[in-house]
Amino acid sequence: MSKEVSNILRLRKLGIDTHTENIIFMRSDCLVCRSEGFTANTRVSVNLNGSSIIATLNVITSELIAENEAVLSEEGFRKLQAREGDLITVTHVQPILSFSEVRAKMFGKKFNESALQRIITDITHGLYSKIEIAAFVTVCSGDNLALDEVIYLTRAMISSGTTLSWPVPRIMDKHCVGGLPGNRTTPIVVPIVAAAGLVIPKTSSRAITSPAGTADVIETMTPVTLTLEQIQAVVRQEGGCMVWGGAVKLSPVDDVIIAVEKALDIDSAGQMIASVLSKKAAAGSTHTIIDIPVGLTAKIRTREEAFLLEYYFRAVGLAIGMELDVLITDGSQPVGRGIGPALEAQDVLAVLRNAPNAPQDLKTRAIQLAGLILEGAGKADKGKGAAAALSILESGKALDKFYRICQAQGGFREPQAAPLRHDVLAERSGLVKSVDNRKLAKVAKLAGAPKSPGAGILYHAPIGKHMEKGQPLFTIFSETQGEINYALAYMHTTDHIVELASP
Amino acid sequence: MSKEVSNILRLRKLGIDTHTENIIFMRSDCLVCRSEGFTANTRVSVNLNGSSIIATLNVITSELIAENEAVLSEEGFRKLQAREGDLITVTHVQPILSFSEVRAKMFGKKFNESALQRIITDITHGLYSKIEIAAFVTVCSGDNLALDEVIYLTRAMISSGTTLSWPVPRIMDKHCVGGLPGNRTTPIVVPIVAAAGLVIPKTSSRAITSPAGTADVIETMTPVTLTLEQIQAVVRQEGGCMVWGGAVKLSPVDDVIIAVEKALDIDSAGQMIASVLSKKAAAGSTHTIIDIPVGLTAKIRTREEAFLLEYYFRAVGLAIGMELDVLITDGSQPVGRGIGPALEAQDVLAVLRNAPNAPQDLKTRAIQLAGLILEGAGKADKGKGAAAALSILESGKALDKFYRICQAQGGFREPQAAPLRHDVLAERSGLVKSVDNRKLAKVAKLAGAPKSPGAGILYHAPIGKHMEKGQPLFTIFSETQGEINYALAYMHTTDHIVELASP
């Protein structure tokens, strides 16, 4: 026989982090558990002081919490601005109407603009669970989104968050579609472009599954978590910034969708375009250069894929009124030597400081990208942008601007590599034939990057270089021996990361 | 600076039930959390005494557990046969290779037989997380599976679990695709068919999102959780059984997939066919009757949909060597009067006992289905099956057989309705024009069915009946006033459940 249990519950905080999903833990004998039932996706509304969130139900079958108590995941506490001891009410959730559009898409019906607006609004408000987002991401995957659907999706994502506006008509930006370790051109491009007198308020992301996001790299040299007002002050003063975009809620729904996409390890062209361009448009950018590295172990594997992506970028850019240039680059191997926040930052500084040992490949890429931006803004003639950018870099003006931006963001510091090192040696001699970017990134992650900013890899074996047996192919940097061991254990389970040509 | 933490951890049990997904809760400062990173879908291998499961990582940021401790969800404890205090090791998981087939399907590539075998094997072994299953279910949804893919999927699901074999060549079975409250023909059909000398080892499911599964209804009258050996003994003695299929692991992967399908509220023809026929084939059935109720608020909404489903059932049945008959029935309103385990059981008993007030619609359906089975097995001429079934029912032989089967399963008891009642009254007079099956089912669930077996609804207003203002349309039965209030609160948020024609 059941007893009467109220649906007013006292919140307990147990420090359970369930990533981006709100979870509520309730006792199996509570009224809500009894009447809602408990499925793989039971969702309830959790209400406190007029705010409410939707949470997925997990059930407590022990005495971990008392009757009339409930536990929220940390994300739930944050979103509801709740504290331990607060009294919540838990109520029934109506079905999410917009999800019927996702179901219709499963049956081959195209999304119209209103459908995508409603879906994106509901995801932004936390109405979709992880598995519902997984279904949405799946119906948008592959080549299942037509150009008009990508345009609608981009517009819907732009309007899901803050939009920045700037007092000048021309706002420059750059973006790399990613997937290539060490391809850290942003902290070189931004000071060159800003030193040329242009405005480039660059926001970057943190790593999700890679060993370093651009924001992680820059953070080893200067603070990147700035408020909107601070960003505007830095840009007003220096013409450019290098900050973490997550702090300013540009296209916030993108983070939620990307988390599930990454979990499924799918990169669909449509989603990627909408994700990138919605962030750029929300940041107020009017001119954007897109870097698409192509390589067998990069995100984009063939030139055909890159061409298709270029088409989509240009067509959606046109539809939302953004000028776009695309640069298809070599993605066959890491750029520079470092992989991991501090190690990549050291490469960046070597280039900015015109150090004799600065990685030339990183320098060349940054110059090319900065050159295209200068050309796009009319600061250099067609074909003369790279030379103009090189001159700004080699004159020391870019380094000076870099330090000034860092100062405006809160100060500069030298990036520090982690203390423990382990060399991975060539087992025989030969010319380097290929390198697996993905596996290299995985090793850097297992060594602790980006959580330990000094951890990662220093890579010594570019394609075409002759290695002697016993020479280090790369060096693993880590804070702990345990992490080095974990990375080595992974390497034992996989094929060669660096392939040498047969003698 | 991080400290050294081992990846050997002591298990804590906190009674956290996360439904069918294995979750491991680990401290944010442990080695694995540091090196794997923490995403929406971080998966690790949890190993104990040579067994291992894959679990999704959640992170504990408090002192809820000590260093070197980890918590598993209840499902994880069950699958690993672990106990509190056991020492587990947590290791890195290789990417799931079969998921690349799901990704390829997103790009429009068809599944071949090997792909579906590998996917189903990996899901069976718990390698897929909920969101990966959501992606799989989505690419199989709508009309995205061709006939050959449905056949491969069915075969893969059959081989994922136990297969029963019987010492007679002809094994009868029935299945209803569901979605219609009160359509509880199984406990009437089984005794009629068994009384005719045929073998019908019927396994049924429990409710997932409905107010009563067939197993829940039968359980109010006799035990349904039998071992394989007990089932075989019952069938040997009586020719039939009425048991819960979940206890005997027929097509176990089906439960995992259905949980996610239900969560997304999608019913795709291909998945449904594979799900039903794999369970039937695994149960050893050679002849199956499929009941497809059609109605605007039933699972199948149009006759066109029903015809397509019939085609798939017949074609897949042919491919796996099963004889099939399909009966398309009226799904416009509930069958019988009761909705909820005990209330439906009372309808069933009234029919079996030839009580004067027995619901005729339920009786007619059961007779039709049993008749088709008798015809299919050569126990009646074509067109004469229903009359033969009726004669077995009205002679009392079916009731006698029903009691004998219950006795063999562990004894018979009278089902008991819940004590609290609330009449929902007609607000004006008029002819009943339509009824919303889904909303009626929801009210029965909120009233406590099937967790409280006596809870649910007694329905008094069949389509076409004249109701006076103030007459009860239906009666809500519940164990607690709180549940009645919860059901009434839902009714206030929705349109009329029973529509009366304008005067």
Side-chain angles (χ1 to χ4, degrees), chain A residues 147 150-151 153-154 157 177 268-280 290 292 308-317 320 324:
Chain A
L147 178 62
V150 179
I151 293 169
L153 180 60
T154 307
M157 288 171 73
V177 301
S268 68
Q271 281 279 5
M272 188 207 289
I273 307 283
S275 161
V276 170
L277 294 188
S278 66
K279 281 223 154 99
K280 298 295 161 201
I290 309 283
I292 307 181
L308 182 62
L309 209 53
E310 175 170 359
Y311 155 68
Y312 271 102
F313 268 117
R314 289 192 191 281
V316 178
I320 64 168
L324 263 169

Side-chain angles (χ1 to χ4, degrees), chain A residues 70-81:
Chain A
V71 175
L72 266 185
S73 59
E74 294 301 288
E75 181 69 8
F77 270 98
R78 270 191 294 274
K79 288 216 194 99
L80 207 54
Q81 299 187 294

